[in-house]
Amino acid sequence: MSVKIYHNPRCSKSRQTLALIKEKGVEPEIVEYLKNPPSAETLTALLSQLGLEPRQLIRRGEAIYKELKLNDTALSDDALITAMVENPILIERPIVSSGSKAALGRPPEAVLDIL
């Protein structure tokens, strides 16, 4: 089984999720998405696997969210995805993918269903 975690080592939920995955005997591929942001295509695929709309995956508390006026409901999904790719701090974390499934590690235990 191939498992990938989009990880921010400074985030406690991300660290907890990574530890939980390893406790289950899985050694995931770790993508530090702040250093290596996902492409728009990858992010679109992850959103589909998560069953989420782009707006549901955006961290609204980030300063860049306000600066880019991303609360504008007229913005298209493509515009929101582009904003997340260009400013990966906006992507809620951690995201764990396994095969055709993905889960958001909030809480960390939410990823257990796809392992």
Side-chain angles (χ1 to χ4, degrees):
M1 167 178 29
S2 174
V3 175
K4 186 181 290 189
I5 181 170
Y6 292 85
H7 178 60
N8 177 351
R10 296 185 62 196
C11 171
S12 64
K13 292 293 184 209
S14 196
R15 290 191 310 269
Q16 290 168 9
T17 302
L18 179 57
L20 183 62
I21 292 168
K22 288 184 174 188
E23 281 175 21
K24 296 298 178 186
V26 177
E27 196 58 48
E29 176 185 346
I30 300 170
V31 177
E32 288 191 33
Y33 69 93
L34 294 177
K35 294 178 183 175
N36 300 300
S39 67
E41 295 78 18
T42 298
L43 193 54
T44 299
L46 287 168
L47 284 161
S48 177
Q49 291 172 340
L50 290 164
L52 297 176
E53 298 297 321
R55 195 166 294 283
Q56 294 173 290
L57 196 62
I58 291 182
R59 297 175 54 83
R60 293 173 181 84
E62 298 295 334
I64 192 76
Y65 178 85
K66 294 172 187 72
E67 289 172 29
L68 296 176
K69 298 178 176 49
L70 296 177
N71 61 337
D72 181 351
T73 56
L75 290 172
S76 68
D77 286 353
D78 286 343
L80 296 173
I81 289 169
T82 297
M84 285 188 276
V85 169
E86 292 175 356
N87 305 279
I89 193 70
L90 289 167
I91 302 171
E92 188 61 82
R93 72 235 175 202
I95 300 170
V96 176
S97 66
S98 177
S100 63
K101 300 176 186 175
L104 190 58
R106 293 192 167 264
E109 295 78 18
V111 305
L112 292 177
D113 290 342
I114 67 164
L115 296 181

